[in-house]
Amino acid sequence: MTNIATPTYLQDATQLLSTEGFKTSSQWYHGTASGLTDAILKNGLIGSGDAEINKKTKNAMAAIGNSYTERKDPVFLTQSKQLAYYWAEKKTELRNSRLGADETPVVFELTLPEALTSQVKTDVGAATLLLAGNDPYIEYVEALYTQNKILLPELNPASIDRMAYLNLLGMAYIGVSIQAEHLTRLAG
C-alpha cells in the first residue's frame, strides 16, 4: 500500500465514495508540484506543461545518443481532492529526484464552464495501471474503498466499462489547456 498522508482539508473520499464509485460534480481537481505553481497561476494548466522535466529528459536522451520527441499529453483531472493529492505526491517525487528540488504537493480546484466540462473524458489509458498488476495507485484506491467499508469491484481490463475508469478509479483528462481564471490553489 502506498503510504501517502493526505492533509485533512483534502480528504474527501468519505464524502465522495459509494458502491458506484466516486461521485462527480462540476468541480475537478489537478495535483502537481509546488515548483509549477507560479507558471500554472500565470498560464493555466497546459498539457505536458512541465518544461523543466521535458528539457532534462531531452538532454539525457541526447547525451546517450538517442532522439527525443516531446509528447503532448492531456491535462489529468479527477473528481477527488484526495486522488489529486496522490498524483501531486508523485509529481513532487519526480521533480525532487530529477531536478534536485525541494518541492511540495499542490492541489488545484478547477471550476469549468459548461463548454469545458463537456470536454472532460474518462481516462481509459488507466488500463495500463490494471495490466501492470500491483500498481501503487490501484492499491491506494483499493485502500480508500476499504477504509470506507466499500468493496471495489473486480477490474478486468479486458471487460471493464470505460466509465469505470472515471467512476471507480477517479481517472479523467481534458485535451485542452485550462486558463488560470478557472483555477484555485487549495490550501489548508
Side-chain angles (χ1 to χ4, degrees), residues 111-158:
T111 304
L112 302 177
E114 182 54 39
L116 290 176
T117 299
S118 65
Q119 294 184 52
V120 175
K121 307 290 182 206
T122 185
D123 189 355
V124 296
T128 59
L129 303 177
L130 297 176
L131 291 169
N134 297 331
D135 180 83
Y137 179 72
I138 301 300
E139 292 174 7
Y140 180 75
V141 171
E142 286 175 338
L144 289 177
Y145 275 83
T146 300
Q147 289 167 8
N148 287 282
K149 298 176 179 42
I150 300 171
L151 180 63
L152 177 64
E154 181 71 30
L155 301 170
N156 180 344

Side-chain angles (χ1 to χ4, degrees), residues 66-79:
N66 287 336
S67 62
Y68 172 73
T69 303
E70 202 168 306
R71 295 183 343 199
K72 179 68 174 164
D73 291 328
V75 175
F76 168 77
L77 302 175
T78 182
Q79 64 271 50

Side-chain angles (χ1 to χ4, degrees), residues 30 40 43-47 75 77 108 110 176-180 183:
H30 177 82
I40 290 170
N43 304 316
L45 284 170
I46 301 168
V75 175
L77 302 175
F108 284 93
L110 289 71
V176 297
S177 297
I178 307 298
Q179 295 178 345
L183 306 172

Side-chain angles (χ1 to χ4, degrees), residues 22-185:
F22 290 90
K23 295 175 191 158
T24 58
S25 70
S26 60
Q27 299 303 127
W28 294 95
Y29 301 94
H30 177 82
T32 193
S34 59
L36 299 171
T37 300
D38 290 343
I40 290 170
L41 290 173
K42 179 181 177 188
N43 304 316
L45 284 170
I46 301 168
S48 302
D50 192 340
E52 290 174 284
I53 291 290
N54 292 341
K55 182 179 178 182
K56 188 99 167 158
T57 303
K58 184 176 184 177
N59 290 343
M61 294 302 284
I64 61 172
N66 287 336
S67 62
Y68 172 73
T69 303
E70 202 168 306
R71 295 183 343 199
K72 179 68 174 164
D73 291 328
V75 175
F76 168 77
L77 302 175
T78 182
Q79 64 271 50
S80 166
K81 292 179 267 190
Q82 198 158 353
L83 296 179
Y85 188 81
Y86 174 91
W87 294 112
E89 276 277 339
K90 295 302 173 191
K91 183 64 168 184
T92 300
E93 287 174 14
L94 174 69
R95 286 181 58 85
N96 287 347
S97 68
R98 298 280 308 278
L99 302 175
D102 186 24
E103 299 180 10
T104 56
V106 175
V107 173
F108 284 93
E109 180 177 77
L110 289 71
T111 304
L112 302 177
E114 182 54 39
L116 290 176
T117 299
S118 65
Q119 294 184 52
V120 175
K121 307 290 182 206
T122 185
D123 189 355
V124 296
T128 59
L129 303 177
L130 297 176
L131 291 169
N134 297 331
D135 180 83
Y137 179 72
I138 301 300
E139 292 174 7
Y140 180 75
V141 171
E142 286 175 338
L144 289 177
Y145 275 83
T146 300
Q147 289 167 8
N148 287 282
K149 298 176 179 42
I150 300 171
L151 180 63
L152 177 64
E154 181 71 30
L155 301 170
N156 180 344
S159 61
I160 190 173
D161 178 83
R162 70 180 289 115
M163 289 307 293
Y165 294 108
L166 172 63
N167 298 332
L168 298 177
L169 298 177
M171 301 288 289
Y173 71 90
I174 190 164
V176 297
S177 297
I178 307 298
Q179 295 178 345
E181 67 191 56
H182 303 300
L183 306 172
T184 303
R185 180 182 174 180

